[in-house]
Amino acid sequence: MKIYGSTISPFVRKVVVFAEEKGLSVELVPTAPGDTTPAFRAISPFGQIPAMVDDDFTLADSSAIIAYLEAKHPDPVLIPADAQARGRTIWFDELADTVIFATGRTMLFNRVVGPLLRGVPGDAAAADKAEREQWPPILAYLEQAATGRDFLVGDGLTLADIAVTSALASSLHATAPVDAASHPELARYLDAMLARPAFARRLEAERGFLAKVRSKVA
């Protein structure tokens, strides 16, 4: 299976980690969003990442790919069948995409992607405002959600954990680590999630890549 994109994107990382937690072998093909090459557009007509090739089947969009993988490879279960558990899992997935990373994207683009990877000036004021006004309520909610829990839904790993951790991991490339003094439960939970091999391998590679880019810019 080939996944096109960069795992600095939380959506790409979410798919890659989801697949690897299923025990699937994944080849990551480095691809920037909006790539216009005909071969990539044949897989992802609007240039979205992630995109997937699985044998002769192609698909774009993280939610679509994850739904496909869960249906094709049902064990281990990462999207629960129970109605309430499934609803909570999808809620956290949506929260990760549209709330956590909506704020994280502002910081990541203006502090990392724009100035370091695309060579365009970032809007420091916008990043600072997002960090100051929007980020604290997110951390406060996740502190409450993680309190006394190893997993966000039920007693085992689900898409909820993968999605939230992926959104946080991308955001944390551009903001301070979660403070264990002010958010001890979230810090504990996140440390455990990021120590899982599927996350740890990808984040090590991402940090190494960004360190090289920063050294060249400096």
Side-chain angles (χ1 to χ4, degrees):
M1 182 190 306
K2 294 182 178 180
I3 302 294
Y4 291 75
S6 165
T7 58
I8 292 174
S9 159
F11 309 109
V12 176
R13 189 191 303 105
K14 177 172 67 172
V15 167
V16 169
V17 171
F18 189 91
E20 292 184 353
E21 289 285 358
K22 287 279 188 185
L24 305 175
S25 178
V26 174
E27 177 186 349
L28 183 66
V29 181
T31 309
D35 188 305
T36 59
T37 58
F40 179 64
R41 287 303 176 102
I43 304 165
S44 181
F46 298 99
Q48 294 173 296
I49 59 170
M52 179 200 73
V53 175
D54 186 25
D55 294 326
D56 60 351
F57 182 66
T58 64
L59 197 60
D61 181 81
S62 63
S63 295
I65 294 169
I66 280 172
Y68 165 78
L69 293 177
E70 182 72 12
K72 185 176 180 182
H73 305 280
D75 295 317
V77 173
L78 295 180
I79 302 176
D82 173 78
Q84 292 186 7
R86 178 172 291 194
R88 290 288 288 170
T89 298
I90 300 306
W91 149 251
F92 278 112
D93 183 39
E94 190 69 12
L95 178 78
D97 289 357
T98 63
V99 177
I100 299 173
F101 194 62
T103 298
R105 187 197 307 272
T106 302
M107 298 186 289
L108 185 67
F109 183 85
N110 288 301
R111 293 175 176 171
V112 177
V113 175
L116 294 182
L117 303 183
R118 297 189 182 177
V120 298
D123 186 338
D128 292 348
K129 182 177 181 181
E131 184 175 51
R132 182 177 62 252
E133 297 179 6
Q134 299 169 3
W135 198 234
I138 291 170
L139 298 183
Y141 175 77
L142 293 175
E143 172 73 9
Q144 175 269 324
T147 295
R149 304 189 63 87
D150 293 327
F151 304 99
L152 293 174
V153 178
D155 297 324
L157 183 77
T158 68
L159 171 61
D161 303 297
I162 295 170
V164 167
T165 300
S166 190
L168 287 171
S170 289
S171 303
L172 292 174
H173 283 313
T175 190
V178 174
D179 181 7
S182 56
H183 300 92
E185 290 293 306
L186 177 58
R188 171 196 57 78
Y189 167 82
L190 187 59
D191 284 347
M193 285 297 125
L194 293 178
R196 297 181 73 90
F199 273 117
R201 284 194 302 270
R202 297 300 176 183
L203 286 168
E204 182 180 8
E206 293 165 32
R207 289 168 182 151
F209 169 72
L210 290 175
K212 288 181 181 178
V213 172
R214 287 189 174 100
S215 67
K216 291 179 181 178
V217 172

